[in-house]
């Protein structure tokens, strides 16, 4: 089994479960299986800690510009995405990392950043129910799917709000490593997907 790198983008006011849920899924999958199928790390636009939603301080492993190439790029959401919609340097960095990645996964309003980075045109996508209309505005060439837990386009996967990122991450583990690895990961986490 190939070890894939998983990069999770962090930024101020990122929703905690948006990044911590996927982090846990890929990290647990890496712990439970030999050889480890994933190596997870975090990235941010600049150096130093970020302050996630509700005051959690997190120290990213790398700056996005000098991080190792990611096989799986995860772009979480949260209220902090709004301030980043005009950050062309970050959006260019996301687009560049996405071009090199095997898969790109957004969680919640992280889909807004994918839209602004030009990664959703011609695809189907979902996001948190409260920002579906914003995504429609930012991605007029994208079919917006309300009510889906996640939408898999092949290379680009978008997940609905917050806990849906865990479902989408387990789906990715299943796609890349097989359903047995995904099921074992979910069982260890004592996680049950919603119907």
């Amino acid at each position: 089994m190939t070890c894939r790198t998983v990069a999770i983008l962090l930024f101020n006011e990122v929703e905690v479960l948006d990044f911590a849920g996927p982090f846990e899924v890929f990290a647990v999958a890496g712990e439970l299986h030999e050889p480890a199928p994933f190596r997870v790390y975090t990235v941010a636009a600049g150096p130093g800690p970020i302050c996630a939603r509700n005051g959690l301080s997190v120290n990213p492993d790398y700056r996005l510009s000098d991080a190792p190439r990611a096989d799986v790029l995860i772009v979480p959401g949260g209220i902090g995405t709004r301030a980043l919609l005009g950050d062309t340097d970050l959006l260019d960095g996301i687009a560049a990392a996405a071009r090199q990645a095997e898969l790109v996964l957004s969680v919640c309003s992280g889909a807004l950043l994918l839209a602004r980075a030009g990664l959703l045109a011609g695809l189907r996508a979902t996001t948190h129910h409260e920002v579906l209309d914003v995504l429609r505005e930012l991605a007029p060439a994208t079919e917006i799917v309300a009510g889906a837990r996640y939408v898999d386009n092949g290379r680009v996967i978008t997940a609905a709000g917050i806990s849906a990122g865990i479902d989408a991450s387990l789906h990715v583990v299943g796609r890349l490593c097989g359903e047995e690895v995904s099921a074992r990961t979910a069982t260890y986490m004592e996680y049950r997907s919603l119907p």
Side-chain angles (χ1 to χ4, degrees):
M1 193 178 302
T2 303
C3 183
R4 290 175 168 92
T5 54
V6 179
I8 302 177
L9 179 67
L10 300 179
F11 46 85
N12 287 326
E13 293 295 319
V14 62
E15 188 70 42
V16 173
L17 194 57
D18 278 11
F19 75 84
F23 186 99
E24 185 77 1
V25 169
F26 289 102
V28 166
E31 288 174 359
L32 293 179
H33 302 90
E34 198 57 49
F38 301 105
R39 181 174 70 83
V40 188
Y41 56 89
T42 54
V43 298
I50 64 96
C51 187
R53 191 78 175 141
N54 299 313
L56 177 67
S57 181
V58 185
N59 294 299
D61 297 308
Y62 300 99
R63 289 185 302 175
L64 183 59
S65 59
D66 58 19
R69 186 186 71 78
D71 296 307
V72 179
L73 174 65
I74 300 176
V75 179
I79 194 69
T81 56
R82 305 330 182 268
L84 301 177
L85 292 175
D87 187 335
T88 55
D89 288 340
L90 177 68
L91 296 171
D92 289 347
I94 290 170
R99 281 191 297 273
Q100 297 181 38
E102 182 179 353
L103 294 173
V104 178
L105 167 62
S106 71
V107 181
C108 194
S109 58
L112 305 181
L113 297 177
L114 295 192
R116 285 298 279 224
L119 299 171
L120 296 182
L123 302 179
R124 299 170 72 241
T126 194
T127 188
H128 191 281
H129 62 273
E130 290 187 357
V131 294
L132 286 165
D133 288 339
V134 178
L135 184 58
R136 285 185 184 97
E137 290 175 20
L138 292 175
T142 302
E143 179 187 343
I144 308 305
V145 183
R149 202 74 178 142
Y150 57 85
V151 175
D152 186 342
N153 293 282
R155 275 196 72 244
V156 177
I157 301 162
T158 56
I162 311 174
S163 65
I166 297 172
D167 294 325
S169 296
L170 287 166
H171 169 73
V172 170
V173 170
R175 265 189 54 185
L176 298 178
C177 304
E179 289 305 318
E180 184 180 333
V181 174
S182 178
R184 186 176 177 207
T185 301
T187 297
Y188 177 86
M189 293 172 60
E190 296 198 1
Y191 183 74
R192 300 291 180 268
S193 296
L194 294 175

